[in-house]
Amino acid sequence: MTESRSGHAGLALSPDTSSALRYAAFPTESGGGNPAGVVLDAAAMSAAEMLRIAAEIGYSETAFLEAIGSRDYRVRYFSPQAEVDFCGHATVAAAVALADAELGAGELVLHSNVGEIRVSVASVGERYRATLTTVSPKTAELPAGPLAELLAALDWEAEDLDPDLPIGLAFGGLWHPILWAVTRERLAELEYDFAALTTLMQREGWGTVSLLTRERADLIHSRNAFPIGGVVEDPATGAAAAALGGFLRTNGLLPDGGKFRVLQGEDMGQPCLLDVDASGHGGIRVSGTATRIVADAE
C-alpha cells in the first residue's frame, strides 16, 4: 500500500473503477438509498478520466475529491454523461466515506463548482450522519413557454398541477423546476419523453425536474426526473431538496421551525429520506446517512 496525497494509507489511486468506493446515501431505516461513487484521491485524474470512471460505475453521480488542506477538499461530480456542478447525495456519500476512512466526525469544507459547501459529520450509533449547507438559494419564475414544453414532455395537463401550490424555479446549487402534482397517485405515474425533456433541460440549464406532492407541511413526496444524467429519475436528490427548501422559504410555505422531510425513491423501490432545515437565512441544510455498498466496492 502507498500513502496518498490526502494522507489516507492505502488510498493512492490509478484511474480505474477500483479506486472508487460505493455508498448508498439517504437510506431509510428499512433500507433503500441512492448509490453514489466516491473517489477519495482524484488529484492525478483528468476530467476525461473522471467522466469515464463515472460512466463505468453507472450511478447517477460519482464524487471525485482532492485534498487541499487537513479537512478541505476540492470536489467534482460526474454523472455517466457529463460533469454536474453540485450533487447532494454524492456530497453526503463522500463525507461519510471520508469519516469511514479515518477522518471520523467533524467539519469538512468542500470546494465545488458552485462554491463552498460546508459539511458537518456526526457519529450516530454505528453510523455517520452528514449535514451539508448549500450556497445561498435562489428562486425565479418559470416562464410560460418552458412550462408548456415541460408539461408536454411529461405528458401532464394543467389539471395535473395542484392549484393550491406555486410552481417556479429554485436553486440550491443547481436550478430545478418545481411542479406539484394534484394527487400522490398522479405523482406515481411517471412516463415522459426522455429525448424531449433532455433537450429542454440542457437548453434551460436545469439540474433535475422536481415533481412533488405535500402530504403535510413537514412531509413532502418527491420524484426527480434526470434524463440529462442518463437516467430516468434520481432516487434521492439533495440539491433538489435544498432548492425546494429555499423555494418554500421564499413563498412562506415552511412549517413552524423551518424543517421538513422529503421522501423520494418510493416509486422506484429505493426509498430515501432527506431531512431539510430551511430556517433562518442563507444556505439550506440537508441531512442524511450513507452506508457502504461493500459487495460492489470489494
Side-chain angles (χ1 to χ4, degrees), residues 244-255:
L244 176 62
F247 186 82
L248 295 177
R249 178 200 284 170
T250 297
N251 286 281
L253 292 170
L254 288 174

Side-chain angles (χ1 to χ4, degrees), residues 9-268:
L11 297 179
L13 306 175
S14 58
D16 59 42
T17 54
S18 66
S19 64
L21 304 173
R22 279 82 162 169
Y23 275 77
F26 299 118
T28 66
E29 287 296 326
S30 59
N34 190 6
V38 179
V39 175
L40 291 175
D41 185 356
M45 292 184 182
S46 68
E49 289 168 337
M50 295 180 194
L51 179 59
R52 178 178 57 78
I53 289 171
E56 290 175 2
I57 292 170
Y59 294 157
S60 58
E61 273 98 6
T62 294
F64 296 83
L65 301 171
E66 176 185 353
I68 56 177
S70 61
R71 298 183 74 92
D72 280 51
Y73 292 82
R74 170 78 169 106
V75 62
R76 297 178 72 176
Y77 309 96
F78 284 80
S79 78
Q81 295 191 351
E83 183 168 10
V84 179
D85 286 337
F86 174 61
C87 174
H89 86 276
T91 296
V92 168
V96 172
L98 286 169
D100 284 343
E102 294 176 10
L103 284 187
E107 304 300 313
L108 300 170
V109 180
L110 303 182
H111 302 269
S112 74
N113 287 353
V114 299
E116 186 177 282
I117 307 297
R118 293 190 171 270
V119 187
S120 177
V121 181
S123 179
V124 181
E126 297 181 355
R127 289 185 176 186
Y128 287 109
R129 181 177 178 84
T131 299
L132 66 87
T133 301
T134 68
V135 296
S136 294
K138 295 181 281 189
T139 59
E141 292 185 4
L142 179 52
L147 172 59
E149 291 181 70
L150 176 56
L151 292 176
L154 293 170
D155 196 24
W156 282 31
E157 305 292 339
E159 295 76 19
D160 293 318
L161 298 172
D162 189 331
D164 297 324
L165 293 169
I167 61 174
L169 296 171
F171 176 88
L174 298 173
W175 283 101
H176 308 265
I178 303 291
L179 299 182
W180 300 91
V182 66
T183 63
R184 179 66 182 88
E185 290 72 25
R186 184 64 186 89
L187 184 65
E189 301 171 12
L190 183 62
E191 294 185 14
Y192 63 82
D193 187 325
F194 195 93
L197 188 55
T198 300
T199 299
L200 175 62
M201 293 175 70
Q202 289 173 336
R203 190 191 76 209
E204 297 295 323
W206 297 339
T208 68
V209 175
S210 288
L211 307 172
L212 310 155
T213 58
R214 190 168 67 163
E215 182 174 330
R216 55 179 190 266
D218 63 351
L219 182 60
I220 293 171
H221 298 268
S222 173
R223 302 188 77 172
N224 273 257
F226 190 40
I228 59 170
V231 296
V232 172
E233 67 175 306
D234 211 9
T237 316
L244 176 62
F247 186 82
L248 295 177
R249 178 200 284 170
T250 297
N251 286 281
L253 292 170
L254 288 174
D256 291 342
K259 298 178 180 180
F260 62 95
R261 304 189 113 179
V262 174
L263 285 174
Q264 191 177 331
E266 301 164 287
D267 298 292
M268 302 174 65

